[in-house]
Structures are given as C-alpha cells and as structure tokens.
C-alpha cells in the first residue's frame, strides 16, 4: 500500500545529517517531506563514530552519537514523518512522480521529488585480488568506526591498507593502542602531511602489493590484523533504474547550485554525491541547498498550474 495514500512533496532516503537537514528545512518551508531510513534510528555514519568532532564549530566536542541524538531531536521538533527500519528496494517513476518501494514490505511511498541522502559505505578489498569476501574474514577490519575502537590491538602486528587520511589516522591510533608493529601499504600516499610526519617513514610501503585476506598476509608477511581503508562508495543500488550520471569517482553527479541530479526531480546530497569535503557541517549545508531548490521548483510548478 502507499504510505497513508498521500503524495509527499519529497521523499528523502537516508536519515544522516544531510537527509535530516533537508527534511527539516522542507518542513519549515511549508512543504510535506517524508524521511525513509534503513536503520532503526537517525544518524547514519555518525552512529559509528565514537570520537569527539572538534571540526564542528557550532557543536565542538560532540561525539558522533551525540550529533545523531541532536539530529533526532530536531527532526521530532519539526514534526517530519519518518519511517525507520525500511531499507529501500527500488524506485519507480510514475507519471512524473516517484514510487519508493521498501524491501520485504508491501508498503511504498509516493512523492513528487526524490532526495538521495543514503551516504556511503567503506570500500572492501577488490575482488580482483581474490578477496571478494574479505569483509567476512576474521582479522580483516574495513573502514573506520566503532569496530576499530572495540578491537584489542595490544601486542599485535597490524597492516594498514590505504594511503589517505583515514588510513594514516587509524595507523597512528593503532600504534597508540599498543600494537607491536604497524605498517602502512598504499599504492600512493594522499594523506595530510600532519599525519604522515607523525608516522615512521620506514613503515610506509608505496606501490602494488600482494594481499591475501584468508591468510592475513601482505607481500608474504603474516599479520594479526588487516585494516582496510580504500575509500568510500555510494549506497544507491536501489536507484539504478534512474540511470543517474556519476562522477569519475562513482558518486552521483549534481548541479552545484541546486544539488539536482541528471534525472529531473532527483536530488543527491551529502556523501552520496561528495559535493564538498565530507563532514557533518557540509552535509547539513547540502540539505539546505536541496530544500531551497525544491521549494523554488514547487513554487514554479504552483504558479504555472
């Protein structure tokens, strides 16, 4: 069935900072949004980031879960309807509208516009290295977050795979947590110099490497743990039918001023589009950008009706 047999002004998929920001602004602007989230609660990747975020000038020192709680409070105050534990299976275009279908459920949502705010997931080890199931191997940790914090590194040999900020920040963290040895393996080093300078140069190996997740080996040497930081990929498999244009890195391409994607009526915000440096502050701003663009489009449609 359709959610309440109502057609919303916008269906926003993803309740991280970008999606919540967009939903709140749309509601405050007098439109009717609905928020759809696969998880049980608001927050997105914030929920798995236990560290203090001192980059957020308006909320210094807040941890990811605290930021998520603030988002949930703001969403409730704005009175935005939200569906949780509703992973989206597919999106269909029907007479200029969008029908959002939930996985494993008979319900659906109908809206005039679709906002993709589904974020990203950490890239796993590539299948070309015979490790398509690397995320399931014991001793392989993929991406940053709470699972890294929960891991005991004391006395362990650790190989960190990747050359970006996340790789080096986590390599430094693992050293501080008492690992016996930490070595970084990267095709190229792209991390900030402030991180690189703090890590021993002799423990950084640049080039192509032979990695075997099953045996926890890199170039034939065995480790107790492999930490994989190969960047991010957008979570938009459910929207493949829309044939959205992508950036060279695989994210959703959007108009800089409006966040509109290549399909009319579709907007992409936050990390799924990588429009700006990814963080809570830019995600919130992205939500505002899309909301104002949707408001302008809705007013034009009303005026021409």
């Amino acid at each position: 069935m359709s959610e309440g047999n109502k057609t919303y002004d916008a269906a926003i998929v993803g309740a991280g900072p970008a999606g919540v920001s967009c939903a709140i602004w749309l509601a405050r602007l007098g439109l009717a949004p609905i928020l759809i989230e696969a998880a049980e609660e608001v927050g997105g990747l914030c929920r798995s980031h236990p560290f203090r975020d001192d980059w957020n000038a308006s909320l210094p020192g807040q941890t990811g879960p605290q930021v998520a709680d603030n988002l949930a409070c703001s969403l409730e105050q704005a009175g935005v309807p939200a569906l949780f534990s509703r992973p989206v299976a597919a999106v269909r275009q029907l007479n200029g509208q969008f029908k959002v279908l939930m996985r494993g459920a008979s319900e659906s949502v109908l809206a005039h516009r679709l906002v993709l705010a589904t974020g990203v997931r950490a890239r796993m080890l590539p299948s070309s290295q015979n490790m398509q199931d690397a995320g399931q191997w014991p001793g392989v940790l993929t991406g940053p977050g709470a699972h890294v914090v929960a891991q005991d590194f004391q006395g362990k040999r650790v190989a960190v795979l990747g050359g970006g900020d996340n790789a080096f920040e986590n390599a430094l963290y693992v050293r501080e947590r008492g690992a016996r040895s930490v070595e970084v393996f990267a095709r190229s080093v792209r991390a900030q110099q402030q991180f690189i300078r703090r890590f021993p140069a002799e423990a950084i190996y640049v080039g192509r490497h032979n990695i075997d997740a099953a045996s926890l080996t890199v170039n034939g040497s065995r480790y107790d743990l492999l930490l994989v930081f190969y960047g991010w990929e957008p979570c938009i498999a459910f929207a493949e039918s829309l044939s959205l244009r992508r950036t060279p890195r695989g994210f959703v391409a959007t108009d800089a001023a409006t966040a509109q994607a290549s399909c009319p009526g579709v907007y992409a915000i936050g990390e799924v589009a990588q429009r700006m440096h990814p963080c809570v502050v830019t995600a919130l701003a992205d939500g505002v950008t899309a909301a104002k663009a949707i408001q302008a489009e809705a007013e034009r449609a009303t005026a021409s009706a």
Side-chain angles (χ1 to χ4, degrees):
M1 67 176 182
S2 179
E3 177 66 24
N5 296 317
K6 176 178 180 177
T7 300
Y8 293 88
D9 288 312
I12 303 151
V13 184
V20 171
S21 172
C22 184
I24 290 172
W25 271 74
L26 285 172
R28 300 293 189 196
L29 290 169
L31 283 83
I34 185 169
L35 191 62
I36 306 168
E37 168 59 42
E40 297 179 354
E41 55 189 346
V42 167
L45 285 177
C46 289
R47 288 288 177 192
S48 63
H49 185 78
F51 301 105
R52 288 165 46 101
D53 181 4
D54 291 322
W55 298 88
N56 188 336
S58 63
L59 292 170
Q62 296 270 297
T63 65
Q66 287 174 321
V67 170
D69 289 342
N70 289 337
L71 293 172
C73 180
S74 296
L75 189 68
E76 183 178 1
Q77 290 178 358
V80 177
L83 301 175
F84 294 101
S85 300
R86 301 292 207 288
V88 174
V91 176
R92 302 282 185 263
Q93 289 182 277
L94 298 171
N95 302 319
Q97 298 178 337
F98 297 92
K99 187 174 185 178
V100 183
L101 306 172
M102 316 297 172
R103 189 182 308 160
S106 60
E107 64 187 331
S108 62
V109 167
L110 197 63
H112 294 293
R113 299 159 197 89
L114 175 69
V115 181
L116 303 177
T118 41
V120 293
R121 58 173 168 261
R123 292 185 186 276
M124 298 175 63
L125 289 163
S127 58
S128 61
Q129 295 178 354
N130 196 29
M131 290 171 291
Q132 58 268 35
D133 297 321
Q136 301 174 15
W137 292 110
V140 177
L141 305 180
T142 302
H147 60 296
V148 175
V149 176
Q151 176 65 50
D152 178 17
F153 294 103
Q154 189 70 38
K156 291 182 169 59
R157 295 192 68 218
V158 180
V160 176
L161 311 180
D165 286 349
N166 272 320
F168 275 84
E169 278 191 283
N170 280 272
L172 291 166
Y173 173 78
V174 171
R175 291 187 75 213
E176 294 169 358
R177 292 288 297 273
R180 179 156 61 97
S181 66
V182 183
E183 296 174 315
V184 173
F185 296 87
R187 288 191 177 184
S188 62
V189 175
R190 307 173 308 283
Q192 299 175 49
Q193 286 299 315
Q194 63 168 320
F195 301 137
I196 297 171
R197 284 194 296 265
R198 292 167 54 196
F199 197 82
E202 64 273 15
I204 302 173
Y205 301 91
V206 180
R208 298 184 67 88
H209 306 288
N210 183 19
I211 303 163
D212 187 338
S215 62
L216 296 179
T217 60
V218 181
N219 298 337
S221 296
R222 193 181 188 286
Y223 294 84
D224 298 304
L225 295 167
L226 302 184
L227 273 60
V228 183
F229 301 99
Y230 281 173
W232 307 92
E233 58 188 8
C235 301
I236 55 167
F238 65 88
E240 290 299 328
S241 64
L242 301 177
S243 300
L244 300 174
R245 186 166 59 85
R246 304 287 193 97
T247 69
R249 295 175 58 204
F251 299 98
V252 180
T254 61
D255 177 76
T258 64
Q260 183 160 326
S262 56
C263 177
V266 178
Y267 299 78
I269 55 177
E271 295 196 47
V272 76
Q274 294 277 300
R275 290 161 43 80
M276 296 179 279
H277 178 78
C279 67
V280 170
V281 174
T282 56
L284 295 173
D286 248 8
V288 177
T289 297
K292 291 296 291 181
I294 290 170
Q295 178 198 29
E297 195 278 326
E299 290 179 349
R300 286 193 298 270
T302 300
S304 62

